[in-house]
Amino acid sequence: MIRPLIAGNWKMNGVAGMLSVIEEVVNGLSERSDGADCLICPPATLLDRASRAARGSALKTGGQDCHAEPSGAHTGDISAEMIADAGGSYVILGHSERRADHNESSEMVASKAEAAARANLTPIICVGETLDEREAGQTLSVISGQIDNSIPETATDASFVVAYEPVWAIGTGKVATVEQVEEVHNAIRKQLVQRFGGSGSDVRILYGGSMKPGNAAELVSLENVNGGLIGGASLKASDFLSIYDAGISNL
Ligand code: 13P
């Protein structure tokens, strides 16, 4: 049985007032049974304060991206070591918004995942096809290429998380169907087992893309869906906690 991970990606949302959401989630988790890992990745400016607010609780915090180098002349970037120093234990890498807005290639994502391992962070490596790619029947080949090239050569075990986020389902309210999610998650699982043997069965594969309290239970009940990466609905504590409840309801 894989322990689910319910992860919130706040993207470029949140100033100090949003720390109340962290506090509400911390309190909510303390009243719930411990059935899943729970994570929020706020913007970098809030990470230290969010980590302090979550300290000693079941809530983990993380970054939304990192540079491959530990330090240096890279204006505006932050390193995996800085995320760890600010209390983070995870980092989201290769999100489609970074691949699109910052031209990040899968090879760059792999270097960043190596940096995450160096700083003892767990990378959440994101993959997903665009609508054009899906309509052209390329979904599985796109995902397979992204998985192959974004997971570093040096990765040897289940010390990373994969998130499948179809680009056309992000922030659109359009959720992939159960059949679409199953097809891709099963293919990812097969590929991980081919590459990593038995430990490929332990890697958590999250679904992301318009996950909400109303659809989370069905999605996380699927065999190879081991949690969610949630954007919009993670900005509201009650919605995010409902999704956590869905994550533990199958246990
Ligand atoms: P939404 O949940 O807002 O669709 O965002 C998903 C996502 O991109 C999480 O990383």
Side-chain angles (χ1 to χ4, degrees):
M1 180 76 211
I2 301 184
R3 186 174 163 87
L5 171 62
I6 305 299
N9 173 11
W10 281 10
K11 309 189 180 185
M12 197 172 72
N13 295 294
V15 289
M18 280 288 283
L19 291 167
S20 62
V21 174
I22 301 283
E23 283 156 22
E24 277 179 71
V25 171
V26 163
N27 292 336
L29 290 176
S30 72
E31 293 158 1
R32 286 169 162 78
S33 50
D34 167 36
D37 289 336
C38 191
L39 166 72
I40 288 181
C41 299
T45 47
L46 284 184
L47 182 56
D48 177 64
R49 281 175 285 173
S51 302
R52 286 172 200 268
R55 189 169 294 159
S57 81
L59 178 65
K60 306 270 186 247
T61 57
Q64 299 177 9
D65 175 51
C66 70
H67 195 278
E69 298 296 325
S71 62
H74 302 288
T75 303
D77 279 314
I78 59 171
S79 69
E81 282 76 2
M82 290 169 177
I83 291 171
D85 182 57
S89 46
Y90 286 80
V91 61
I92 298 169
L93 295 176
H95 192 282
S96 59
E97 288 151 15
R98 293 213 55 92
R99 290 180 189 258
D101 296 353
H102 299 274
N103 284 321
E104 284 190 10
S105 64
S106 290
E107 291 69 22
M108 288 163 73
V109 174
S111 309
K112 290 170 181 229
E114 286 184 326
R118 187 185 66 218
N120 285 322
L121 301 178
T122 302
I124 300 177
I125 297 172
C126 302
V127 297
E129 81 288 2
T130 63
L131 189 56
D132 284 352
E133 289 164 340
R134 176 162 284 277
E135 287 175 346
Q138 296 165 348
T139 300
L140 293 183
S141 63
V142 166
I143 302 295
S144 156
Q146 288 176 337
I147 292 276
D148 245 353
N149 298 318
S150 305
I151 298 172
E153 299 280 327
T154 48
T156 50
D157 56 15
S159 59
F160 57 91
V161 175
V162 171
Y164 168 56
E165 299 202 311
V167 177
W168 47 272
I170 295 178
T172 57
K174 276 190 206 151
V175 187
T177 63
V178 163
E179 292 72 30
Q180 289 170 328
V181 174
E182 274 180 330
E183 183 187 35
V184 175
H185 279 243
N186 293 348
I188 293 174
R189 176 69 69 210
K190 206 168 145 203
Q191 194 175 348
L192 292 172
V193 170
Q194 272 165 2
R195 178 157 162 192
F196 295 101
S199 59
S201 328
D202 298 333
V203 173
R204 291 188 281 197
I205 309 174
L206 313 183
Y207 170 79
S210 300
M211 196 184 254
K212 301 273 183 302
N215 59 30
E218 184 177 41
L219 290 164
V220 297
S221 72
L222 304 176
E223 192 189 343
N224 284 313
V225 179
N226 314 114
L229 184 55
I230 300 115
S234 71
L235 297 169
K236 201 169 151 203
S238 56
D239 284 353
F240 189 56
L241 286 165
S242 296
I243 296 175
Y244 176 88
D245 290 338
I248 61 175
S249 66
N250 299 303
L251 305 176

